[in-house]
Amino acid sequence: MSTLIDSKEGAALPEFATPSGENRPATLSGQLGMLEIVFTVLAYNAPLTVFTGMGVMLTLGNGLGAPVTYLIAGALILIFSVGFTAMSKHVPNAGAFYAYITAGIGRPLGLGSALMAMLAYGFMMTGVYLYAGIVYASLVKHLFNAEPLLWWGYSLILLAAVGVFGYLRITFSARVLTLALICEVLIVFVWQIAVAAAKGAAVVSPSWLTPSAVTSGSVGLALLFGVTCFAGFEATAVFREEARDPEVTVPRATYCAILVMAILFSSASYFLICAFGPQTVLERAAADPSQISLNAIGLYLGKAGLEAVNALLCSSVFACLLALHNILSRYIYCLGLDGTFPRTLATVHERHGSPHRASVVVTGLMLLILIGVIKSGFEPFGAFAILTGVGGYCLLLLLILTSLSVLVFFVRDMKGQNLWRTRVAPIVSFFLLSFVGWLATKNMEVLTGNVQVAQALISVVFGTLLIGVLYARYLKRARPEIYRAIGRQVI
């Protein structure tokens, strides 16, 4: 069995150490294909939701340069994914950030990053539940001119539905996500075709997309918004154990997901500008950034198209919640499998092949958190902006740590990989992502909408990272067999 050097201890250890005298539960397995994983990742990124929020990029970002910004952000994430996918074959488990950071820069920080990642996904999931309640309440009121439930009633119904899907086999969830995402992507492209047909070649030509347009406004904020739109692509590694041929499927799914998102976001923002014209779109976005995309849909697809988008927006947030639920439950499963969480949480359902106990835990925790938020009286949309903003910020920090981890991992042993994959790409992605992280820290108020609350939540997140590091140090002294298994489970 190959060995790794734990960067914190400097000793050669088994790559996937098993606690002595303990039997591991059955691990996950499955037959997820590339497209199923890609659609799961796209569901997490909720492309229709990104499209309906593009008014923010136009007003706070670099305006007419948005299409180029999305392509640049996609290129940055692609550079990161070079080292990410190169390392994936050497860390064959469902831990993603947790496993990568552990293998590269040590068990204490690896365990701390796992807890921080879980908290970040939890923040985002809670925020999306609040947003989903608003979206579903709005759709029901629009369709039936009635309000049978308050917004939080729909959030709780969605929680129950997501809990059921999360309990079942992942391939079942993947089919649901695939159907929802195909409809989302199709309607965005149908709208783009409608704009091109109505405006003609002369109007949709890129004559307005000049270098001065790309560098206008706040390029830094634009790049920040662009990169956060791609957060979640790392979920391709989370489903590694359930992939049909992980060494082939995971890299292909990663690159495919990033390319699809880059093309979709860039083309959608381009046609949004063409739909109104360069000058008019900036004026309308400044007047009401939250409605400009929906107005463009209604203008070119009519009332039927607008109602279809409203309905698909509901399926989009449901798909996003289901993807987040599946990711979070697999983090809990990994920690249970390694022994840092109770091993019962790593139990795999005999029939469904899912981490069903971890899934139930996620559902239970979300129920308690939602009840707390409802009773607290927080305004749901404002809380959504803060929670998802902080979650996205934390995932960005984890990308930075992972870039560093990939570099350190291959510095010790290139494992037959070339210089581009093991040195150049990780170094470039580390410095570029660090720059974006600095921008995020500097513009926290813009990212979250409330800098004081955001700073308090980020303190909780970094506190969680510290707790994970201290817990790992405790395990090193008190339970060394579990400490050795952190992030390196036998599969």
Side-chain angles (χ1 to χ4, degrees), residues 426-441:
I427 289 173
V428 171
S429 68
F430 173 73
F431 282 106
L432 291 180
L433 286 170
S434 296
F435 172 69
V436 177
W438 174 77
L439 289 174
T441 304

Side-chain angles (χ1 to χ4, degrees), residues 145-484:
N145 196 29
E147 298 181 72
L149 295 173
L150 295 176
W151 67 266
W152 54 262
Y154 299 100
S155 296
L156 294 176
I157 291 172
L158 286 171
L159 175 66
V162 168
V164 171
F165 279 97
Y167 189 92
L168 301 175
R169 185 175 292 276
I170 184 65
T171 49
F172 184 64
S173 294
R175 293 189 188 102
V176 174
L177 296 174
T178 298
L179 179 62
L181 264 295
I182 287 175
C183 293
E184 280 188 60
V185 173
L186 277 179
I187 198 163
V188 173
F189 281 124
V190 167
W191 168 77
Q192 292 179 22
I193 293 170
V195 172
K199 290 290 188 177
V203 178
V204 298
S205 67
S207 57
W208 47 268
L209 195 56
T210 62
S212 60
V214 175
T215 56
S216 65
S218 175
V219 177
L221 273 180
L223 187 60
L224 171 59
F225 292 144
V227 169
T228 53
C229 287
F230 289 84
F233 77 92
E234 77 285 348
T236 54
V238 172
F239 300 105
R240 181 182 178 87
E241 292 178 31
E242 295 155 282
R244 186 175 299 128
D245 183 4
E247 291 200 8
V248 175
T249 303
V250 170
R252 287 181 179 176
T254 303
Y255 290 126
C256 185
I258 296 168
L259 287 172
V260 169
M261 285 187 285
I263 293 170
L264 182 63
F265 298 157
S266 179
S267 63
S269 60
Y270 180 87
F271 279 96
L272 179 60
I273 295 169
C274 293
F276 294 106
Q279 187 60 40
T280 304
V281 74
L282 294 178
E283 295 172 355
R284 296 188 67 151
D288 191 354
S290 65
Q291 292 296 312
I292 186 168
S293 297
L294 291 176
N295 290 339
I297 290 285
L299 186 62
Y300 290 92
L301 293 183
K303 183 179 179 182
L306 185 58
E307 293 193 355
V309 166
N310 284 326
L312 287 172
L313 193 58
C314 290
S315 70
S316 176
V317 294
F318 176 77
C320 179
L321 287 169
L322 183 54
L324 280 166
H325 180 99
N326 286 332
I327 293 170
L328 192 52
S329 62
R330 278 149 185 80
Y331 262 92
I332 294 174
Y333 154 82
C334 275
L335 293 173
L337 196 61
D338 289 347
T340 52
F341 278 11
R343 286 200 184 282
T344 185
L345 296 177
T347 303
V348 176
H349 197 283
E350 292 183 3
R351 178 182 175 187
H352 302 301
S354 62
H356 61 294
R357 291 183 180 174
S359 177
V360 170
V361 168
V362 173
T363 302
L365 287 174
M366 282 296 111
L367 177 61
L368 292 176
I369 292 170
L370 277 178
I371 290 174
V373 172
I374 292 166
K375 287 186 173 295
S376 68
F378 281 118
E379 193 277 314
F381 192 82
F384 158 73
I386 294 171
L387 290 168
T388 54
V390 172
Y393 175 77
C394 294
L395 292 177
L396 178 59
L397 296 180
L398 288 167
L399 287 177
I400 296 169
L401 284 175
T402 303
S403 290
L404 179 61
S405 179
V406 171
L407 179 62
V408 174
F409 180 84
F410 285 117
V411 162
R412 294 196 292 260
D413 184 353
M414 291 181 67
K415 296 187 178 294
Q417 301 279 357
N418 60 43
L419 194 65
W420 162 247
R421 293 169 68 84
T422 61
R423 298 288 195 279
V424 178
I427 289 173
V428 171
S429 68
F430 173 73
F431 282 106
L432 291 180
L433 286 170
S434 296
F435 172 69
V436 177
W438 174 77
L439 289 174
T441 304
K442 185 179 178 182
N443 295 281
M444 186 57 61
E445 184 174 3
V446 176
L447 185 65
T448 62
N450 188 315
V451 68
Q452 289 80 16
V453 175
Q455 287 174 345
L457 290 175
I458 289 172
S459 298
V460 171
V461 171
F462 280 104
T464 302
L465 174 67
L466 179 60
I467 289 171
V469 171
L470 295 176
Y471 180 38
R473 291 298 185 188
Y474 163 78
L475 290 174
K476 184 180 180 181
R477 295 192 307 270
R479 299 291 302 276
E481 74 282 3
I482 291 180
Y483 178 78
R484 286 194 297 272

